[in-house]
Amino acid sequence: MVQLPKVNSLGFFEIRLESIGGLGANLAGKMLAEAGVVGAGLNGVSFSSYGSEKKGSAVKAHIRFCDLNTHIRDTSPVERPHVVGVFHEALAKTVNVTSGISEDSTVLVNSARTPEELRELLKLKGGTIAVIDATSIALKEKNRVNMAMLGALFRLCPFLDTETMKGVIEKSLGKKYPQAVQSAITTFERGYNEVKFMHFELPEGEVMPEYVRSDISPLGYETQPMGGSIVNPGNSFLKNLSISRSGMIPAYENESCINCAQCDTVCPDQCFVWEERLDRKGRSQMFLLGIDYQYCKGCLKCVGACPTSALSIIREQEGYADSHTVHHTFDLVSQL
């Protein structure tokens, strides 16, 4: 039996995966736990928490390991993780992905940024940041992000055996998707080999922030506004769907557009911005100005519907959406 590198007061080594639906975090957690139980001879458990089962919704997967003499009677959420795996860096915009970490914790992020840039993005005071561009690896190997993330997680958990994991991959995918087994193993190996680390010391006098549960409302009987008013605006205008994108986005080329509105017809989130003006014959017509990427979740239905080359699929690069977005203009609200 292997020795766990560190455990909490209950004897658990804990991992939390922060993701969105469609990236495979739930399956990754199950496979990770199976590899620890079968290959490392540990007690282990994996469970997930999520809302509606749809692409883009927030997902948390929780994994606990302990030695065979310790019983697992706890299936509460992992609040003080030793390792956090962030499957989509944009999650940090809306979810406190680093909640509860200590200065000894490691945060693995799927990103093309440097560890220093991620430290600023995550507002991390101390700890170790591991970076793997899992999206690029998955696109290159024609596989899924979760396999690359699993490879990186195995690098962070040296008590787990990579050969056992390859057997788990073959067992999990072999029956239904035999053609995907080899690419999944290649993606896993690249994730293991290409992950990079950097440790940041906690500044003198600083302390790590306390864990904040996301499922408890800040409004209670003592803090509820008068009359029970809901003060948190929740209309679709204020939503940001960019965290739902998983690597690819539509790019708009105005010169090739014939303003047929086929893209707008199939778009589920009204991303396209239009303006009414006169055409060359003096007739009133709607002209497409561009895409408001705040509402674009990367479903790419618009590209399939476009009859010209006005819309194409590109790999999303840092800053592209911000520099190319065309904001909706609404008469009755102000743009934030």
Side-chain angles (χ1 to χ4, degrees):
M1 186 179 68
V2 300
Q3 185 70 32
L4 291 169
K6 61 185 79 168
V7 293
N8 60 18
S9 59
L10 297 177
F12 300 144
F13 181 89
E14 299 187 322
I15 302 170
R16 187 175 71 229
L17 306 181
E18 302 272 0
S19 183
I20 59 173
L23 296 184
N26 184 28
L27 177 61
K30 293 177 180 178
M31 297 172 76
L32 192 65
E34 183 175 347
V37 172
V38 175
L42 297 167
N43 275 342
V45 65
S46 170
F47 55 95
S48 299
S49 58
Y50 45 83
S52 56
E53 293 190 59
K54 64 179 181 180
K55 183 177 180 180
S57 59
V59 174
K60 292 180 186 288
H62 311 275
I63 303 97
R64 286 189 172 95
F65 291 119
C66 59
D67 62 45
L68 292 177
N69 297 319
T70 303
H71 299 290
I72 301 178
R73 297 191 175 95
D74 183 9
T75 54
S76 62
V78 171
E79 299 183 355
R80 293 289 187 177
H82 298 98
V83 176
V84 175
V86 183
F87 279 52
H88 199 311
E89 65 176 301
L91 270 169
K93 296 178 181 178
T94 57
V95 179
N96 186 6
V97 294
T98 60
S99 179
I101 67 168
S102 68
E103 56 187 300
D104 296 325
S105 299
T106 301
V107 180
L108 170 68
V109 187
N110 170 21
S111 176
R113 303 191 195 209
T114 65
E116 293 89 343
E117 291 172 332
L118 287 171
R119 186 189 187 189
E120 293 296 322
L121 174 68
L122 300 175
K123 297 178 174 58
L124 196 69
K125 292 185 177 181
T128 301
I129 293 181
V131 185
I132 181 69
D133 192 356
T135 301
S136 293
I137 294 174
L139 292 172
K140 178 72 174 178
E141 302 298 335
K142 295 181 173 57
N143 208 267
R144 301 185 68 189
V145 166
N146 60 348
M147 291 297 111
M149 290 294 288
L150 272 172
L153 286 165
F154 265 65
R155 187 76 174 273
L156 303 179
C157 303
F159 56 88
L160 297 176
D161 179 43
T162 56
E163 293 304 316
T164 300
M165 187 61 208
K166 293 175 185 178
V168 172
I169 292 173
E170 189 166 358
K171 173 186 171 184
S172 301
L173 304 179
K175 289 185 178 180
K176 297 181 85 173
Y177 312 104
Q179 72 282 0
V181 171
Q182 187 52 53
S183 64
I185 292 175
T186 302
T187 305
F188 171 81
E189 290 174 338
R190 287 192 60 184
Y192 184 89
N193 294 321
E194 296 178 23
V195 64
K196 299 177 181 178
F197 310 85
M198 181 170 289
H199 180 72
F200 298 95
E201 292 292 340
L202 186 66
E204 188 73 27
E206 294 279 352
V207 293
M208 298 295 287
E210 290 293 321
Y211 173 77
V212 179
R213 289 188 60 169
S214 59
D215 59 341
I216 296 178
S217 172
L219 299 179
Y221 74 95
E222 291 183 334
T223 56
Q224 184 80 5
M226 293 296 291
S229 302
I230 298 176
V231 297
N232 181 31
N235 60 55
S236 59
F237 168 71
L238 297 172
K239 289 182 179 178
N240 188 329
L241 300 181
S242 63
I243 67 167
S244 301
R245 298 198 289 265
S246 53
M248 311 301 286
I249 57 173
Y252 173 61
E253 174 56 53
N254 182 59
E255 297 299 323
S256 304
C257 183
I258 59 175
N259 301 298
C260 65
Q262 289 299 315
C263 55
D264 200 51
T265 301
V266 299
C267 178
D269 295 294
Q270 300 172 335
C271 302
F272 294 92
V273 182
W274 298 83
E275 181 181 66
E276 185 178 5
R277 58 175 184 259
L278 300 179
D279 63 11
R280 287 176 294 183
K281 295 183 178 180
R283 298 171 301 187
S284 179
Q285 182 180 334
M286 299 300 292
F287 287 85
L288 181 58
L289 301 182
I291 303 172
D292 192 336
Y293 285 103
Q294 174 182 337
Y295 307 105
C296 177
K297 60 186 178 187
C299 69
L300 304 176
K301 293 179 180 179
C302 56
V303 179
C306 182
T308 70
S309 58
L311 291 170
S312 59
I313 301 174
I314 63 169
R315 171 78 163 89
E316 184 174 7
Q317 302 293 331
E318 177 64 28
Y320 180 89
D322 291 336
S323 60
H324 288 79
T325 196
V326 177
H327 289 294
H328 280 292
T329 54
F330 298 104
D331 295 333
L332 301 180
V333 293
S334 59
Q335 186 73 35
L336 297 181

